[in-house]
Amino acid sequence: AQTVTQSQPEMSVQEAETVTLSCTYDTSESDYYLFWYKQPPSRQMILVIRQEAYKQQNATENRFSVNFQKAAKSFSLKISDSQLGDAAMYFCAYRGNRDDKIIFGKGTRLHILP
Amino acid sequence: GAVVSQHPSRVICKSGTSVKIECRSLDFQATTMFWYRQFPKQSLMLMATSNEGSKATYEQGVEKDKFLINHASLTLSTLTVTSAHPEDSSFYICSALENRGTQPQHFGDGTRLSIL
């Protein structure tokens, strides 16, 4: 069975600094999709970034980028120039190619220090 | 962008009441819809997957008779919590998938259910 592990329950970063959130996963599939979702206090789930496993190039969305290491089954999220609005719970998620179910990690709560 | 509407956003009711939560895809047809449950400070737990016109597939440990799911059309899925009790109090979130592949799931804003 697939699993997603986020080993950092909480992290803090100074405003304008860079922070990296870790995520590892376990799967026997070769084709799959990885996502980072943000959940602010409103509890709305917001897609931050996504990565297709067959693509070697790391995905980037403005200040958000990932470091996808397929062999190591690692999918970390880097947030550059952190802003107060980035404070939220961040979930790493996996979706296999056989079905459409998403498996979420336990989440990392990110605090932004002014 | 794709919008998923979930209603109601907040429900407070007495123990023994049945509660229905609706999940609608507003500007796309959802081939599949998902229902999640989230306890405070925890992750999303998948309860069931529903496809239009067929029975929902429930995850292990989720009571089918307790959580009734109906996916009547390509734009509407409903979750009914039958004879709700205080332990059913939680945050319920739906999501909808337009197509398979790289398309992500689109999430509703969630329903906070409180059973007194």
Side-chain angles (χ1 to χ4, degrees), chain B residues 25-36:
Chain B
S25 56
L26 297 185
D27 52 0
F28 67 98
Q29 292 186 326
T31 56
T32 308
M33 288 188 173
F34 304 86
W35 287 96
Y36 297 86

Side-chain angles (χ1 to χ4, degrees), chain A residues 33 35 37 39 43-45 47 50 52 54 91 95 97-102 104-106 109, chain B residues 32 34 36 38-39 42-44 46 49 59 91 93 97 100-105 107 109 112:
Chain A
Y33 308 91
F35 307 89
Y37 282 91
Q39 188 180 42
R43 303 192 81 168
Q44 183 185 14
M45 292 294 285
L47 177 66
R50 62 186 173 189
E52 293 90 345
Y54 63 85
F91 292 102
R95 191 177 89 205
N97 206 32
R98 282 182 295 180
D99 61 36
D100 300 314
K101 295 192 295 185
I102 284 184
F104 288 92
K106 291 189 174 182
R109 183 167 299 281
Chain B
T32 308
F34 304 86
Y36 297 86
Q38 187 180 29
F39 290 106
Q42 293 190 24
S43 187
L44 280 71
L46 180 65
T49 302
E59 295 300 302
F91 190 67
I93 309 176
L97 184 66
R100 299 197 67 201
T102 60
Q103 293 300 316
Q105 293 183 15
F107 286 85
D109 288 343
R112 186 180 303 277

Side-chain angles (χ1 to χ4, degrees), chain B:
Chain B
V3 177
V4 174
S5 173
Q6 187 172 340
H7 178 80
S9 59
R10 183 84 162 95
V11 179
I12 303 173
C13 57
K14 294 182 178 180
S15 184
T17 306
S18 291
V19 179
K20 179 184 283 189
I21 303 170
E22 291 189 349
C23 181
R24 292 181 184 271
S25 56
L26 297 185
D27 52 0
F28 67 98
Q29 292 186 326
T31 56
T32 308
M33 288 188 173
F34 304 86
W35 287 96
Y36 297 86
R37 183 173 182 175
Q38 187 180 29
F39 290 106
K41 299 185 179 182
Q42 293 190 24
S43 187
L44 280 71
M45 180 192 78
L46 180 65
M47 299 175 66
T49 302
S50 73
N51 293 289
E52 185 262 342
S54 62
K55 290 184 178 180
T57 302
Y58 290 82
E59 295 300 302
Q60 191 173 9
V62 178
E63 298 177 58
K64 300 178 182 181
D65 296 331
K66 178 71 170 176
F67 300 100
L68 299 179
I69 292 173
N70 182 26
H71 196 151
S73 73
L74 284 172
T75 59
L76 174 64
S77 176
T78 60
L79 167 67
T80 301
V81 184
T82 61
S83 186
H85 292 285
E87 58 266 29
D88 298 322
S89 298
S90 190
F91 190 67
Y92 293 88
I93 309 176
C94 73
S95 70
L97 184 66
E98 183 174 4
N99 292 299
R100 299 197 67 201
T102 60
Q103 293 300 316
Q105 293 183 15
H106 304 288
F107 286 85
D109 288 343
T111 298
R112 186 180 303 277
L113 176 62
S114 300
I115 308 299
L116 305 178

Side-chain angles (χ1 to χ4, degrees), chain A residues 4 15 21 26 29 35 48 71 73 83 85 94 103 106:
Chain A
V4 177
E15 194 176 2
L21 308 184
D26 190 26
E29 296 179 287
F35 307 89
V48 175
K73 296 179 181 173
Q83 300 175 0
Y94 169 99
I103 299 168
K106 291 189 174 182

